[in-house]
């Protein structure tokens, strides 16, 4: 077993919305090993990006702590902060908002190099930047160096974001829906580039997506966590989660996903939910947050007690009363 | 063969012949759509697939005369066959077009959740739309119909009609827009990526609703997507576009098992699926060609492993390779069928 890189204990984040508090993350616990791919899936608003931002050190948790290489993020020295920023990078979701519109692509990619590796001359910089652009498929490089972000398409900007995250040879990358605007074929080749970095340099990924098929492809040897309204409802190895999902929400997600094969996708067995609208974070259901939509809902139990994430059969962790057989005890 | 027999019995709705559209750019003329021809019949769903910039949106917006201002159709015809007469879309004035838009041909644009006016109630959208086409309908009659449609897309009709757009979630807005597009019983509906940017469960919900609606009403659906799994769900016929050209067109079952264009085959092999146990996804090497400074020969040749000297010299034309199956490839006989994974 490889060593632990990152651990979160009871991670909670509350945002203020006017006078009210909105709980976006509610007591997450998990750890990520060095060289692992840890994938998070879930619908919008489930807190997956917030978790990613906290792990990347861009947002402070309201309660609970994050440990990186045995150091609590809240108690770092100035030197440790700088080392952390070199080791940990984030690829943001929205490439329209995350690239400075007044800088050229060359500037965007060379600033982090100058910040973390002082004393590079122009020739070295140009060479490094060109390498990065080639890596993410923005060729011919000369066409892109002097462009501004507004001259690029969504997919091209996402590739610049990916290249920017790779500038400082990070060891841990938070990838937030980084390929959502890129065409399938290129998407696969970019993910392969990321996977190659992992095998060669042992990079660890925290991969955020809403596409389970993509999660399966990218995290084939890693783990997938399914989040629902700020909580992890199921956590298992990618292969196990896809082949033998336990939580009703995971089952629903997997069965709802269309597949690129007309025969398979039109005869696919559905796991029907009883409700279609995701509850608002302002007004969360009591007990298990999934119970208003859950076909397994047990009256007097699921709406009252919140299930905790517990190991099931030793192969995965699930937060569900019914899976753990607690419903029969009542 | 069955589909081809069934097709003849249904009325033809659209016929596009040799349509070419160019954009004026500062670098020169960009050939966005070249020589596109296809037909669409009542109750048929035609799904256009291809990477960004392949011309699928330009092609479909030109069917309602809504292409961007710098786009010029330079040749070809677009014929729409209404109940009583036929229309040549490209020769119609804006005023004439305004009459058939939404009433005969409706179009839902990309990111169309933002299409609603934020300062008026949802019900005013429905009333406005109906009254601009059908003079003299009472508000009550329109609202009654709107309510029925909103229930069809499984929304709480009264709540939606009395809300402002910002009070609805993205998925709800998308469904409300779907209801709105059916308000005037159009014969052709064009959807441009209606399910992207939606969550898995919402996307599934919209796909199911679309399929329901298609069984209930007899419209013809043109659907643009880059997501092959959505195509597999909804299409009767799949049209692959590459570099502004239609390179393959076939019934959905055929194209996913036996594609006859290397680009279609490449796309299918690049999509991750859940059903397979282990997989080796292949991306298509290279990048899309420049549509301003176009090379001779087949546009896909530089990325194609089947390419020969012939491909670099001579552009292939669409040829029939099976029932309702056409492809533009010199070497289509060498392309192996897709091996079912898992």
């Amino acid at each position: 077993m490889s060593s632990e890189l990152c651990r979160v204990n009871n991670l909670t984040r509350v945002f203020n919305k006017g006078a009210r508090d909105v709980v976006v993350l509610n007591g997450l616990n998990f750890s990520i090993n060095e060289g692992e791919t840890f994938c998070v899936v879930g619908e919008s608003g489930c807190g997956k990006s917030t978790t990613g931002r906290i792990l990347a050190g861009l947002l402070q948790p309201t309660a609970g702590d994050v440990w990186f290489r045995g150091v609590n993020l809240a108690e770092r020295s100035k030197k440790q902060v700088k080392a952390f920023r070199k080791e940990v990078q984030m690829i943001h979701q929205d490439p329209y908002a995350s690239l400075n519109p007044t800088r050229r692509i060359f500037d965007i990619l060379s600033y982090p190099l100058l910040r973390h590796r002082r004393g590079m001359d122009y020739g070295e910089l140009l060479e490094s930047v060109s390498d990065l652009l080639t890596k993410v498929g923005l060729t011919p490089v000369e066409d892109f160096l002097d462009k501004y972000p507004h001259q690029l398409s969504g997919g091209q900007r996402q590739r610049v974001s990916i290249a920017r995250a790779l500038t400082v040879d990070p060891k841990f990358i938070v990838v937030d829906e980084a390929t959502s605007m890129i065409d399938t074929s290129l998407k696969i080749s970019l993910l392969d580039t990321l996977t190659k970095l992992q095998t060669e340099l042992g990079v660890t990924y925290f991969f955020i997506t809403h596409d389970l098929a993509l999660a399966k492809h990218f995290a084939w040897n890693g783990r997938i966590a399914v989040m629902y309204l700020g909580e992890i409802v199921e956590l298992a190895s990618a292969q196990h989660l896809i082949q033998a999902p336990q939580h009703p929400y995971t089952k629903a997600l997997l069965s709802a996903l269309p597949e690129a094969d007309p025969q398979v996708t039109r005869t696919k067995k559905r796991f029907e939910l009883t409700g279609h609208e995701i509850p608002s974070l302002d007004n969360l259901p009591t007990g298990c947050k999934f119970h208003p939509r859950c076909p397994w809902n047990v009256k007097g139990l699921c709406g009252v007690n919140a299930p905790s994430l517990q190991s099931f059969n030793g192969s995965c962790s699930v937060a569900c009363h019914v899976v753990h057989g607690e419903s029969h005890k009542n | 063969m069955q589909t081809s027999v069934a097709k003849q019995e249904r009325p033809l709705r659209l016929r596009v012949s040799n349509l070419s559209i160019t954009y004026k750019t500062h670098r020169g003329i960009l050939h966005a759509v070249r020589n596109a021809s296809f037909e669409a019949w009542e109750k048929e769903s035609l799904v256009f697939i291809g990477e960004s910039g392949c011309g699928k949106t330009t092609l479909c917006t030109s069917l309602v005369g809504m292409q961007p201002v710098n786009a010029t159709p330079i040749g070809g015809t677009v014929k729409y066959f209404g109940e009583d007469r036929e229309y040549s879309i490209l020769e119609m004035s804006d005023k004439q077009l305004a009459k058939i838009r939404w009433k005969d041909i409706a179009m839902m644009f990309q990111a169309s959740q933002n299409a609603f006016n934020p300062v008026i109630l949802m019900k005013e959208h429905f009333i406005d739309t109906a009254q601009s086409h059908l003079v003299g309908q009472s508000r009550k009659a329109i609202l009654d119909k709107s309510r029925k449609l909103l229930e069809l897309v499984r929304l709480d009709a009264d709540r939606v009609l009395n809300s402002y757009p910002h009070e609805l979630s993205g998925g709800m807005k998308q469904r409300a827009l779907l209801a709105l597009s059916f308000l005037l019983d159009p014969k052709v509906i064009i959807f441009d990526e209606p399910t992207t940017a939606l969550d898995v469960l919402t996307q599934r919900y919209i796909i199911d609703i679309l399929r329901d609606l298609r069984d209930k009403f007899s419209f013809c659906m043109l659907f643009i997507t880059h997501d092959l799994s959505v195509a597999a769900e909804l299409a009767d016929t799949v049209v692959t576009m590459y570099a502004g050209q239609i390179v393959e067109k076939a019934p959905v079952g055929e194209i996913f098992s036996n594609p006859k264009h290397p680009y279609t085959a490449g796309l299918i092999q690049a999509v991750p699926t859940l059903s397979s146990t282990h997989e080796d996804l292949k991306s298509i090497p290279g990048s899309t060609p420049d549509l301003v400074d176009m090379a001779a020969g087949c546009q896909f040749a530089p990325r194609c492993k089947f390419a020969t000297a012939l491909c670099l010299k001579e552009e292939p034309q669409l040829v029939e390779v099976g029932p309702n199956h056409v492809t533009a490839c010199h070497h289509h006989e060498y392309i192996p069928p897709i091996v079912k994974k898992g």
Side-chain angles (χ1 to χ4, degrees), chain B residues 161-183:
Chain B
L161 287 172
N162 293 307
S163 304
Y164 285 98
H166 75 267
E167 294 173 299
L168 307 175
S169 72
M172 288 166 84
K173 272 189 268 188
Q174 194 80 337
R175 278 182 278 156
L177 194 64
L178 208 59
L180 185 60
S181 64
F182 285 97
L183 187 64

Side-chain angles (χ1 to χ4, degrees), chain A residues 13-24 62 282:
Chain A
R13 172 73 208 194
V14 178
F15 285 110
N16 301 321
K17 187 177 174 187
R20 273 174 309 173
D21 285 344
V22 179
V23 181
V24 174
T62 310
D282 289 346

Side-chain angles (χ1 to χ4, degrees), chain B residues 157-217:
Chain B
D158 286 309
R159 190 196 142 196
V160 170
L161 287 172
N162 293 307
S163 304
Y164 285 98
H166 75 267
E167 294 173 299
L168 307 175
S169 72
M172 288 166 84
K173 272 189 268 188
Q174 194 80 337
R175 278 182 278 156
L177 194 64
L178 208 59
L180 185 60
S181 64
F182 285 97
L183 187 64
L184 305 170
D185 302 314
K187 302 288 175 288
V188 178
I189 304 191
I190 303 166
F191 296 106
D192 192 354
E193 306 262 16
T195 61
T196 19
L198 295 178
D199 287 315
V200 183
L201 295 174
T202 318
Q203 169 178 304
R204 156 60 54 198
Y205 202 37
I206 297 214
I207 289 175
D208 288 348
I209 289 170
L210 277 174
R211 192 177 285 148
D212 264 16
L213 290 171
R214 206 185 45 178
D215 294 341
K216 280 208 179 70
F217 303 106

Side-chain angles (χ1 to χ4, degrees), chain A residues 167-187:
Chain A
T167 45
V168 292
D169 301 327
K171 287 288 171 293
F172 181 54
I173 309 182
V174 176
V175 187
D176 188 359
E177 300 267 15
T179 56
S180 57
M181 294 178 193
I182 303 176
D183 290 316
T184 316
S185 167
L186 186 67
K187 191 185 284 188

Side-chain angles (χ1 to χ4, degrees), chain A residues 31-42:
Chain A
S31 69
I32 302 171
N33 291 324
E34 202 150 1
E36 189 188 10
T37 301
F38 190 94
C39 199
V40 183
V41 297

Side-chain angles (χ1 to χ4, degrees), chain A residues 106-265:
Chain A
F106 175 77
D107 303 326
I108 290 172
L109 295 180
S110 58
Y111 279 21
L113 285 171
L114 288 170
R115 169 96 177 101
H116 288 286
R117 283 193 238 152
R118 291 204 189 138
M120 284 177 97
D121 65 28
Y122 180 78
E124 286 168 341
L125 267 182
L126 188 64
E127 198 181 316
S128 309
V129 170
S130 304
D131 278 354
L132 285 163
L133 287 174
T134 317
K135 234 181 224 166
V136 295
L138 290 177
T139 49
V141 171
E142 303 74 45
D143 282 2
F144 291 95
L145 287 174
D146 290 332
K147 279 204 170 134
Y148 287 93
H150 75 264
Q151 294 170 299
L152 306 182
S153 71
Q156 287 173 333
R157 288 176 203 224
Q158 283 194 325
R159 283 184 264 171
V160 173
S161 300
I162 294 173
R164 179 175 61 180
L166 300 179
T167 45
V168 292
D169 301 327
K171 287 288 171 293
F172 181 54
I173 309 182
V174 176
V175 187
D176 188 359
E177 300 267 15
T179 56
S180 57
M181 294 178 193
I182 303 176
D183 290 316
T184 316
S185 167
L186 186 67
K187 191 185 284 188
I188 296 305
S189 89
L190 280 175
L191 291 180
D192 287 347
T193 310
L194 293 181
T195 312
K196 214 170 113 199
L197 284 174
Q198 186 168 43
T199 20
E200 282 169 7
L201 306 165
V203 179
T204 310
Y205 291 109
F206 186 82
F207 190 79
I208 301 166
T209 180
H210 66 272
D211 183 347
L212 268 158
L214 196 70
K216 175 205 168 203
H217 173 70
F218 188 67
W220 184 249
N221 295 312
R223 286 183 295 161
I224 299 180
V226 180
M227 282 184 74
Y228 187 73
L229 292 175
E231 287 168 2
I232 293 179
V233 295
E234 183 161 2
L235 173 61
S237 76
Q239 297 171 39
H240 191 274
L241 187 111
I242 301 289
Q243 282 156 16
Q246 298 299 329
H247 196 280
Y249 182 61
T250 318
K251 283 179 191 271
L253 282 182
L254 284 169
S255 77
L257 204 69
E259 301 216 32
D261 182 325
Q263 268 173 359
V264 173
T265 196

